[in-house]
Each structure stands twice: as C-alpha cells, then as structure tokens.
Amino acid sequence: MFIEVSSHVGASVAEVEGALDRVRANLEEWADVAYREGEALQARVGPTESLAKVVTLEIGIAEIHAYGLAYPIHWSASGARLLFPELTADLILSNDGKDATKLTLRGTYQPPMGTLGRIADRAVLGRVAEATVRSWMDHLAEALSPEKQRPV
C-alpha cells in the first residue's frame, strides 16, 4: 500500500538538513511513540489491546534528486512481525519557498496476514498507518523548526 504524508518547516533545506543531523538520534524514539499511538487505535480492531511494539528505524544516507534530498527509511516493529507492516519509504526534504522546507514521507508497506490483512487495511488499518506516520512526521517537523534549534 502507498502512503504519503507531508509537513512543513519554516527554514531552508540546508538549515533543516543540519537540524536533522542534530536530532537524528531521537528519530527512533519518535517512531516508537508514533507506533504506540497507532496501536491504541489499532487495538480497537486488532486481536488484543496489549500489543505494544518497539520500532526499529533505519535511516540511510541522503541522495540528491531533482525533487529534493531523499533519505531512505525502513521502519518495522520488533517482535510479532506477522501482525505489523513494515514501511519502506523516502524522507524527502524539498524547497517550499525562500525560507521553507516541505518534509514528505513517501513509501509503501505491505499489510500483514495476506489477503485478510489487505482487506482490513482498506477498511480501517490504512487510516491507522497514516495516523501513525502523520504523528511521527509532526514530531519531526516540530523538532526541525528553527525555534527548537536556538540555544537556550
């Protein structure tokens, strides 16, 4: 399944790239928080309410493309992998004006459990996946904002 979520930061691509390097260590923690928030929604339709996952987040080296700077990302739940999709995506930083950057996470995931999982994804779980990614992107955009980068 395809997923695309965007957010904006009021800073240039170069500034956002530098800020991303500084906050990169926190990205895995935010993915864990986003997955847990998604699981709270998923627990309403899933097999049990006690499904709490630790997330493994891998971020590759940025590549320059015509549309912006793209960081390859792989995001997967640890343990119980058969119950949770894995996300393969690009985190794209693109110019959105003089002092603005558009962050876009664009990628795909395969719902678990074959045909049954694809049906559930179309009915409900696709919204859970989007809400999970949106939560993570909101945390990221906030952390990359110029206000968060100023020394105290």
Side-chain angles (χ1 to χ4, degrees), residues 21-41:
D21 287 342
R22 289 188 293 278
V23 301
R24 208 167 173 171
N26 295 323
L27 295 179
E28 190 166 331
E29 178 182 328
W30 295 336
D32 184 39
V33 169
Y35 236 125
R36 289 178 191 273
E37 288 174 6
E39 285 173 359
L41 295 172

Side-chain angles (χ1 to χ4, degrees), residues 27-147:
L27 295 179
E28 190 166 331
E29 178 182 328
W30 295 336
D32 184 39
V33 169
Y35 236 125
R36 289 178 191 273
E37 288 174 6
E39 285 173 359
L41 295 172
Q42 194 170 22
R44 294 182 199 151
V45 296
T48 69
E49 289 190 55
S50 62
L51 294 174
K53 293 285 116 230
V54 173
V55 173
T56 301
L57 178 65
E58 300 169 15
I59 300 176
I61 304 296
E63 298 175 3
I64 299 171
H65 294 276
Y67 52 81
L69 201 57
Y71 291 84
I73 290 181
H74 182 81
W75 177 346
S76 62
S78 300
R81 289 180 176 255
L82 296 176
L83 298 176
F84 298 93
E86 291 188 23
L87 174 70
T88 301
D90 284 329
L91 175 63
I92 302 163
L93 282 57
S94 57
N95 186 24
D96 195 30
K98 182 181 177 195
D99 288 319
T101 299
K102 181 178 180 183
L103 301 176
T104 304
L105 190 132
R106 181 182 304 146
T108 59
Y109 66 94
Q110 284 300 320
M113 301 181 285
T115 302
L116 180 62
R118 286 189 294 278
I119 292 169
D121 189 78
R122 285 187 191 107
V124 176
L125 297 180
R127 290 181 291 222
V128 173
E130 185 174 340
T132 300
V133 172
R134 187 168 306 286
S135 172
W136 186 77
M137 288 289 286
D138 288 347
H139 282 97
L140 180 60
E142 182 181 336
L144 297 176
S145 70
E147 295 80 28

